[in-house]
Amino acid sequence: MTRDMTGETTAELEWKGRTGPFTIRVNPGVFAPTHTSRTIAEALEIAPGDTVIDVGCGSGVLSFVAARLGAARVIGCDISGEAVEVARGNARLLGLEDRVEFRVGSLLDPVRGERANVIIGDVSGIPDEIAEVSGWFPDGRAGGPTGAELPAAMLESIRENDCLAPGGRLYLPTGTIQNESRILEVARRIFGAANLQSLLSREFPLPDVVARSKAVARMMKEGVLDLHARGSRLLWRLQVWRCEMPPPGARQLPAV
Ligand SMILES: C[S@@+](CC[C@H](N)C(=O)[O-])C[C@H]1O[C@@H](n2cnc3c(N)ncnc32)[C@H](O)[C@@H]1O
């Protein structure tokens, strides 16, 4: 543990996922990489020379994985100014400042006017009430009432800002711990059903404090969550999708 210039306690963390091991720093107010981060990293397909946008970059970990896989340029963005500061520090630590930059702002607004061929779309997607019980989001920014609202807004933001080139790929995590069908409905409308492919699927146990919460029981009853039991544990399933952007003429019209 060290203290930065603002007096925040900074912890060093060893990333053991794809392209690791490497060390990054996180503050208590910044999202620390999880199983989800590791699974997305495993699914990423980066070609040398790719331009990558990492939306919801947090500490910057997936931006660094993309750079280490050969991306020519990576722009990470996050609504949290603290996360962006931490990510910039991590880029310096890893000697990646020449290829990786970070910007503050909501969704794809900070990259308006940029065109990427890869987007990593890992914004918060856990229902607000579950996030509160779990403590997974240190700054309290979760995914909305069903966990689908923020990811769905991110998909719309990709379309509105036109920042994914035709043939470009979005890597999108979804899970049964959120209203997954709502997110996939929006993704199918924007990318076309034939352009969505599930690349990876993993199951994880829910921590007991979350599994036993009233919010989980209610949302399961309402059909928002689709968890299943194994022994005494409740499991959720994470999927990582590749969503390929069709050429402009083949795109779906926005819903009215
Ligand atoms: C699940 S964390 C993922 C962080 C990082 N990708 C990782 O794997 O460690 C989601 C991130 O989305 C950010 N976020 C929340 N709302 C956002 C918004 N409206 N626009 C951009 N980022 C947002 C949070 O600050 C958080 O850093």
Side-chain angles (χ1 to χ4, degrees):
M1 294 272 202
T2 55
R3 279 183 195 283
D4 68 13
M5 285 178 339
T6 61
E8 274 268 34
T9 314
T10 303
E12 289 205 339
L13 189 149
E14 193 180 33
W15 168 259
K16 294 191 182 127
R18 194 154 172 218
T19 79
F22 60 80
T23 301
I24 56 169
R25 292 186 179 145
V26 287
N27 286 351
V30 174
F31 189 90
T34 59
H35 294 305
T36 302
S37 321
R38 286 178 72 140
T39 309
I40 298 169
E42 273 179 54
L44 287 180
E45 301 155 312
I46 306 288
D50 274 346
T51 296
V52 177
I53 292 171
D54 175 17
V55 52
C57 64
S59 63
V61 69
L62 296 176
S63 298
F64 305 134
V65 171
R68 289 164 76 102
L69 286 172
R73 183 169 178 232
V74 185
I75 311 169
C77 40
D78 203 290
I79 198 164
S80 158
E82 187 179 359
V84 165
E85 271 311 306
V86 163
R88 284 180 184 146
N90 284 328
R92 280 194 292 278
L93 201 68
L94 294 169
L96 289 170
E97 289 161 288
D98 56 332
R99 279 189 290 151
V100 186
E101 62 167 296
F102 294 98
R103 303 182 188 176
V104 187
S106 188
L107 302 176
L108 281 303
D109 290 352
V111 289
R112 186 169 294 147
E114 301 280 0
R115 258 300 173 80
N117 42 346
V118 173
I119 296 182
I120 304 167
D122 184 27
V123 293
S124 317
I126 299 293
D128 295 340
E129 281 178 85
I130 295 181
E132 209 173 299
V133 184
S134 70
W136 285 329
F137 295 90
D139 64 0
R141 289 192 182 99
T146 72
E149 291 75 8
L150 189 63
M154 177 201 68
L155 294 168
E156 296 291 0
S157 180
I158 292 174
R159 184 179 59 78
E160 285 159 15
N161 288 293
D162 199 21
C163 47
L164 187 59
R169 291 106 53 206
L170 163 70
Y171 292 88
L172 173 72
T174 65
T176 53
I177 194 179
Q178 62 188 172
N179 188 346
E180 186 177 38
S181 55
R182 172 70 191 135
I183 300 170
L184 291 174
E185 190 183 299
V186 178
R188 286 190 192 104
R189 172 164 55 74
I190 293 173
F191 292 87
N195 295 316
L196 261 61
Q197 193 184 342
S198 173
L199 298 175
L200 262 184
S201 173
R202 297 263 190 282
E203 281 193 325
F204 300 108
L206 274 184
D208 283 347
V209 63
V210 176
R212 284 202 231 101
S213 68
K214 282 188 184 146
V216 163
R218 199 194 68 246
M219 285 189 233
M220 279 179 72
K221 211 166 154 196
E222 290 167 354
V224 172
L225 312 183
D226 182 21
L227 309 171
H228 71 266
R230 185 184 298 152
S232 59
R233 310 299 307 260
L234 265 189
L235 304 183
W236 69 283
R237 193 197 64 235
L238 166 71
Q239 285 192 87
V240 184
W241 300 83
R242 183 208 296 128
C243 310
E244 197 173 312
M245 185 57 84
R251 279 181 211 165
Q252 307 287 306
L253 292 172
V256 280

